[in-house]
Amino acid sequence: MRRVRLGVVSLACTLLVAACGVIGSDDGVPVTLEPSTVTWETYQYELTRFNTILAGSYDGETRTEHTFDTWILENEFLRVTLLPEFGGRILSMVYKPTGHEQLYQNPIGVPYQIDTNVFFFNWLMVYGGIFPTFPEPEHGKTWFLPWDFEIIEETDDVVTVAMSFVDDVDYPLAPGQYSGDATGLEVTFLITLRAGRAALDTAVVVENPGGEPVAYEYWTNATLSPGSDPDDPRSPARSEIIAPVDMIKIPSFWSNIAAQERPTGLIEVYDFDTLREFGNWADLGIAYAFPDVSSANYWGVINHDNGEGIFRIADNSVTPGLKIWTWGYSQTADLDPEAGPQEARPYIELWAGVTREFFQSAELAANAELEIAEVYSPSVGLTGVTHANEDFLVNMVVDDGGDVRFEIFGLHPGTEVSAIVSAGGDVIRESELTLDAVAGNVVSASLPPMGDPVTLVLRDASGDVVFSGDLVRTDA
């Protein structure tokens, strides 16, 4: 097992300090970390020494079981399953107040695109969850390989673990769009769960210990199905992609999904409207935020059938790329994985990248490192999101009656806060809230005259400001 260097451990505390209990409850429920296992069924295959599929070993009929060691990370709000030995992934996130799964897990793995020169090892297979992909584009080269695991900190108040991988993988026969060479890059995926907090705080550290700069791609892949039955996670038609961008770029070979949106006049660039809803994806395909998502600090998915969502909160100037992928709604709505070896699955896949698109490489200087701090939070009671910080997801809208409505989900449920709504410098509404784990919170106020800014401020029990945001008005 590779030990995580002390510099990385210290860095984890620095990256996650904003989420280290700015507000919170003290109910005495400890954070726990327990070893466990998971059994996954796939169609049988064998690998060569280059991690390609051995010719003749996959027949699309024979099925087999694989049992992996896992770790269960748990507090009063979340039950999280970590799977280091198959891609270093967060496999599952169950939000305990509702009992629902937020991440997709594939019940039966199907190898696909075998020997088609699409992926690095000439095949791929979906499992699900949230996991790092590097140093190549698409799914990189580590998505199914074992990562090292280490416990960094373990107390009743906080548990931090690390999954790490060193890229020493050479594949001289990689398809031409990939380099095939080992980069020597080291990636550490740090995951922290804190008592009283309904979110995971993570940090990805990409390090180049060598003496020469290295070209690479890094993307975090998140396969999302919020508000799901844990025994059958899937995204319904009324699942909405919440991303604060107005345009998307759809490469020309995904013409069926491009046809759902209005062209902007820029090559391959379309308005982002219809495809926000999963039910409108007429086919499988890729879309990228255009020009990128660097001006925002969140994206995610809300299941409008039950109002549950899952969001990533991060500094997207570090990860400006947002890639969207689905297999298409009609192809997956009534999918029965027992019916045969077809690979389409009913989830929404969102990716965070250090570049804007696949096959656009970045460069990491000699002896340099890149740090990406991320928060992954479930949500309830939100119809959208317009603002986020490390402790709150907020939706500010004007309702049909002309009132301003603030939908609030706090990442420390049970905490008491004061909500102050002001316009033109005058307070127009003040409420005391206990952050609700099941329904969220709503504050409404009469919309002031056209042009006056409307601000929401949340203060904790000590009077400190823990959130502040302005309503973006379209009537001015």
Side-chain angles (χ1 to χ4, degrees), residues 368-433:
E369 62 186 25
L370 173 75
E371 307 93 24
I372 306 166
E374 305 169 310
V375 176
Y376 289 97
S377 175
S379 70
V380 295
L382 303 179
T383 58
V385 171
T386 57
H387 298 71
N389 68 11
E390 65 272 9
D391 289 312
F392 292 93
L393 293 161
V394 177
N395 191 38
M396 301 187 184
V397 293
V398 178
D399 65 23
D400 293 339
D403 288 343
V404 59
R405 176 182 172 92
F406 301 94
E407 302 167 351
I408 302 164
F409 179 74
L411 278 56
H412 298 265
T415 303
E416 295 183 355
V417 297
S418 298
I420 302 101
V421 181
S422 61
D426 297 324
V427 174
I428 59 175
R429 177 72 185 273
E430 187 165 358
S431 303
E432 300 300 317
L433 307 176

Side-chain angles (χ1 to χ4, degrees), residues 45-55 111-125 134-147 165 167-182:
Y45 60 93
E46 294 181 39
L47 296 181
T48 70
R49 65 187 181 93
F50 292 120
N51 290 314
T52 59
I53 289 186
L54 181 67
Y112 66 97
Q113 293 289 0
I114 300 171
D115 295 331
T116 59
N117 291 327
V118 172
F119 299 110
F120 183 84
F121 291 114
N122 250 319
W123 70 288
L124 195 69
M125 185 168 63
F134 84 106
E136 301 280 0
E138 286 287 355
H139 283 251
K141 61 170 76 167
T142 72
W143 59 270
F144 66 106
L145 298 178
W147 287 49
F165 191 95
D167 176 29
D168 57 1
V169 179
D170 281 308
Y171 177 35
L173 301 179
Q177 66 269 36
Y178 304 102
S179 75
D181 298 328

Side-chain angles (χ1 to χ4, degrees), residues 10-254:
S10 176
L11 175 63
C13 296
T14 301
L15 290 173
L16 302 177
V17 69
C20 291
V22 174
I23 61 174
S25 60
D26 183 16
D27 55 11
V29 178
V31 185
T32 61
L33 178 68
E34 299 292 340
S36 187
T37 60
V38 64
T39 298
W40 186 36
E41 192 171 20
T42 72
Y43 285 87
Q44 185 170 297
Y45 60 93
E46 294 181 39
L47 296 181
T48 70
R49 65 187 181 93
F50 292 120
N51 290 314
T52 59
I53 289 186
L54 181 67
S57 68
Y58 172 67
D59 60 14
E61 297 178 0
T62 308
R63 282 155 58 165
T64 187
E65 289 186 343
H66 307 269
T67 297
F68 299 114
D69 291 328
T70 59
W71 291 87
I72 307 298
L73 188 56
E74 190 164 6
N75 68 4
E76 60 266 49
F77 300 113
L78 295 180
R79 187 175 192 271
V80 178
T81 302
L82 306 178
L83 176 54
E85 64 179 297
F86 196 91
R89 68 188 64 214
I90 304 167
L91 181 64
S92 167
M93 180 188 291
V94 174
Y95 185 53
K96 292 166 66 175
T98 64
H100 287 155
E101 176 64 68
Q102 310 306 317
L103 308 180
Y104 182 75
Q105 301 97 48
N106 189 358
I108 302 173
V110 179
Y112 66 97
Q113 293 289 0
I114 300 171
D115 295 331
T116 59
N117 291 327
V118 172
F119 299 110
F120 183 84
F121 291 114
N122 250 319
W123 70 288
L124 195 69
M125 185 168 63
V126 171
Y127 197 170
I130 299 171
F131 56 100
T133 69
F134 84 106
E136 301 280 0
E138 286 287 355
H139 283 251
K141 61 170 76 167
T142 72
W143 59 270
F144 66 106
L145 298 178
W147 287 49
D148 290 335
F149 180 86
E150 185 175 8
I151 300 169
I152 304 298
E153 181 179 6
E154 186 177 13
T155 71
D156 286 349
D157 296 325
V158 58
V159 173
T160 297
V161 301
M163 296 184 284
S164 55
F165 191 95
V166 178
D167 176 29
D168 57 1
V169 179
D170 281 308
Y171 177 35
L173 301 179
Q177 66 269 36
Y178 304 102
S179 75
D181 298 328
T183 62
L185 294 180
E186 303 177 8
V187 169
T188 302
F189 191 17
L190 292 141
I191 299 164
T192 296
L193 184 62
R194 300 181 184 280
R197 185 163 167 83
L200 278 181
D201 301 304
T202 76
V204 176
V205 183
V206 185
E207 301 173 86
N208 176 14
E212 299 292 334
V214 173
Y216 76 107
E217 288 192 38
Y218 175 84
W219 295 80
T220 298
N221 182 350
T223 54
L224 308 179
S225 58
S228 286
D229 178 348
D231 295 325
D232 183 25
R234 57 178 56 232
S235 295
R238 295 180 65 242
S239 298
E240 182 183 357
I241 299 165
I242 306 294
V245 293
D246 296 323
M247 296 183 291
I248 50 176
K249 182 177 179 181
I250 304 174
S252 59
F253 38 86
W254 303 114

